[in-house]
Each structure stands twice: as C-alpha cells, then as structure tokens.
Amino acid sequence: MFLRLAAFVLGLLELLRPRSVVDFWMGLATREDDVSLRPWVYTAARVEGVFLVLWAIRRSRSRRSADGE
C-alpha cells in the first residue's frame, strides 16, 4: 500500500513539476554545479510519471477487485 502511494505521489510530482524533481535528484547524485542536462530528460521524467501513476491506480483497482469490493 505504501509503495503504491509513494509511486502515485512521485508520479504526480514528475507530471506536474518534472524540472524540480529531476533537479532535486541530480543535486543528490552530483556534487558539481556545472552539470547540464539535455532537454529530453524532463520529458522522460514526465513519461515516467505517467507510468508510475497508471501503475499505482491499476494496482489499487486490482487489489480492490481481489478483496471483493
């Protein structure tokens, strides 16, 4: 349940604010400030966000149907 919620929240953040999310993770990964990312990286983050949200929703629905709701 927590994994689905985390995936859903991260997916929404990547959909709505891909630059902030990517810049945050790049700040953690590198110590250099002169790293330049290609423009497609932010598009890839949005695509990843779509897949995370869809995965979380699909898992949530399949879980409900398995419980008999």
Side-chain angles (χ1 to χ4, degrees):
M1 167 112 180
F2 178 74
L3 181 60
R4 283 191 311 258
L5 180 61
F8 184 77
V9 169
L10 180 60
L12 279 180
L13 285 173
E14 284 186 327
L15 275 170
L16 300 174
R17 309 274 307 192
R19 187 170 298 274
S20 299
V21 174
V22 170
D23 291 346
F24 170 77
W25 289 113
M26 287 303 296
L28 289 178
T30 63
R31 295 179 188 253
E32 302 171 14
D33 290 334
D34 62 346
V35 174
S36 61
L37 298 174
R38 305 218 184 225
W40 60 263
V41 171
Y42 303 111
T43 303
R46 282 199 173 163
V47 170
E48 181 183 38
V50 167
F51 282 114
L52 286 173
V53 168
L54 290 176
W55 178 82
I57 291 172
R58 186 166 187 230
R59 294 285 297 178
S60 178
R61 286 184 182 170
S62 67
R63 180 74 179 211
R64 269 191 251 144
S65 65
D67 290 342
E69 289 182 11

